Amino acid sequence: MKPTLLVLAAGMGSRYGGVKQIDAVGLHNECLLDFATYDAKLGGFGKVVFVIRKDIEKDFRERLFDRVAANFDAEYVFQSLDSLLTAEEVSKAAQRTKPWGTIHAVLCAEEKINSPFAVINSDDYYGRDAFKTLGTYLDTLNDDSTEHAMVGYVLGNTMSKSGTVSRGVCTVKDGYLDSIVENTKIGYTANGGIESDLNGKIIPLTGNEWVSMNLFGFGKKSFESFHEYWDSFRKTSLDQPKTEALLPVAVGDMVKNGEGKVKFFTSTEKWFGMTYPEDRQIVKDEIAAKIKAGYYPENLWN
């Protein structure tokens, strides 16, 4: 069975100021996700599953899903604040207004995942080669495999001039992920350097670090570790309105606890994405340039 692409598209878009997952950036109103799913299909993926919010379902279908589903095996599931929680836990988390995070989103889609799978964000551009690399690798895994994978990017290629970005800063040993630390505020300094505000501590960075942009590939056994992480999170964080259960943190725990290994592939692709309102024109220009160069056809889906 071909691998599945799992797209995390239930975010609130607070910095962007709108539903960036389905904002038009192509020459014929395609979304950034049109290009990701197109690349994934070329890269050997057999199915795509989107995780969305119920309140965007109508627009999501009209602006993206129905078009993709006409060309690719596609489904979607909902992530809500009460998903995977007991009634008592929902009550305890009554002050919560934002989604529970990327691990929660992955677990919301578990029943739709019947093969090894890759995870991507909905608002990042990853490049076709990365999908090909992961698709080829995942095609070799069986259900009991504890060997997983990710594609890392050069930090300097993934920065935004519009504001800070969230990246998991990685260390690699013998071709495998050794550690990953989620940095939620990496940005440029006034003199053009790069630094991270990590829990109030300013850390200078070179820009040459390998970072995660949530492009991971997993065998189905990974769900055991993800449930363990989510169960621990529920015990400690339900009454914290902004704390999130993050996929890079869960992956780091998996590696640290010896529950799985993550093969580290790399990409030199230059990132662009939909984090801030100013990014939309940049994305439109980048997509137009790739179409002009023949990388994408003008009419993406026939």
Side-chain angles (χ1 to χ4, degrees):
M1 184 177 293
K2 290 184 177 181
T4 297
L5 178 66
L6 178 59
V7 181
L8 309 184
M12 301 294 286
S14 55
R15 288 181 292 184
Y16 186 78
V19 188
K20 56 186 175 181
Q21 303 92 314
I22 49 178
D23 209 349
V25 294
L27 298 184
H28 300 284
N29 294 321
E30 297 93 347
C31 308
L32 191 56
L33 279 176
D34 278 290
F35 298 93
T37 50
Y38 180 88
D39 286 342
K41 187 176 182 182
L42 291 180
F45 287 81
K47 175 183 176 180
V48 57
V49 177
F50 299 93
V51 182
I52 67 168
R53 304 192 314 269
K54 177 66 176 176
D55 63 290
I56 70 169
E57 181 183 16
K58 182 177 182 294
D59 288 341
F60 171 75
R61 290 196 66 105
E62 292 176 352
R63 298 186 194 177
L64 174 73
F65 181 79
D66 290 345
R67 178 172 59 246
V68 171
N71 294 274
F72 201 7
D73 184 3
E75 295 185 80
Y76 60 89
V77 298
F78 298 119
Q79 180 186 15
S80 64
L81 292 177
D82 59 358
S83 299
L84 310 180
L85 297 177
T86 66
E88 181 180 353
E89 288 170 334
V90 171
S91 178
K92 187 174 182 179
Q95 300 302 312
R96 187 82 183 190
T97 58
K98 66 184 300 185
W100 288 107
T102 44
I103 269 293
H104 183 250
V106 170
L107 291 175
C108 285
E110 182 176 6
E111 292 185 358
K112 299 291 186 181
I113 305 296
N114 299 309
S115 66
F117 65 102
V119 178
I120 66 169
N121 297 331
S122 63
D123 55 350
D124 291 317
Y125 181 83
Y126 293 96
R128 188 173 301 162
D129 288 346
F131 288 106
K132 178 64 174 178
T133 296
L134 270 192
T136 300
Y137 179 80
L138 292 174
D139 204 35
T140 69
L141 300 186
N142 59 46
D143 286 352
D144 295 324
S145 178
T146 58
E147 291 265 341
H148 312 292
M150 67 173 290
V151 177
Y153 291 75
V154 180
L155 173 60
N157 288 342
T158 74
M159 297 292 294
S160 172
K161 294 181 179 179
S162 302
T164 60
V165 296
S166 297
R167 302 286 183 255
V169 179
C170 303
T171 60
V172 183
K173 183 177 181 181
D174 299 327
Y176 285 84
L177 179 69
D178 189 52
S179 69
I180 181 169
V181 178
E182 186 70 359
N183 288 243
T184 58
K185 294 181 180 179
I186 300 178
Y188 287 111
T189 64
N191 62 5
I194 300 174
E195 65 183 19
S196 171
D197 182 348
L198 186 61
N199 300 322
K201 182 179 180 181
I202 302 301
I203 300 174
L205 298 168
T206 67
N208 296 318
E209 293 84 358
W210 289 112
V211 296
S212 160
M213 295 202 306
N214 269 6
L215 180 50
F216 293 101
F218 301 108
K220 289 182 62 180
K221 197 172 179 64
S222 61
F223 282 112
E224 295 178 9
S225 295
F226 297 159
H227 277 289
E228 182 179 328
Y229 172 80
W230 172 244
D231 290 343
S232 176
F233 179 91
R234 286 161 57 196
K235 293 175 182 177
T236 60
S237 304
L238 290 181
D239 58 351
Q240 299 176 26
K242 294 186 177 181
T243 303
E244 295 182 71
L246 298 175
L247 181 58
V249 177
V251 171
D253 285 354
M254 177 197 296
V255 171
K256 182 173 61 177
N257 297 335
E259 297 170 348
K261 297 176 68 176
V262 179
K263 188 169 180 60
F264 197 89
F265 296 104
T266 62
S267 173
T268 57
E269 182 78 47
K270 187 178 184 300
W271 168 87
F272 52 89
M274 308 276 283
T275 306
Y276 298 93
E278 298 86 351
D279 295 333
R280 184 171 184 265
Q281 189 57 50
I282 296 172
V283 172
K284 286 172 67 72
D285 292 344
E286 292 281 357
I287 292 295
K290 287 182 178 293
I291 292 171
K292 184 176 181 180
Y295 190 82
Y296 293 113
E298 181 175 339
N299 293 295
L300 196 63
W301 302 111
N302 293 324

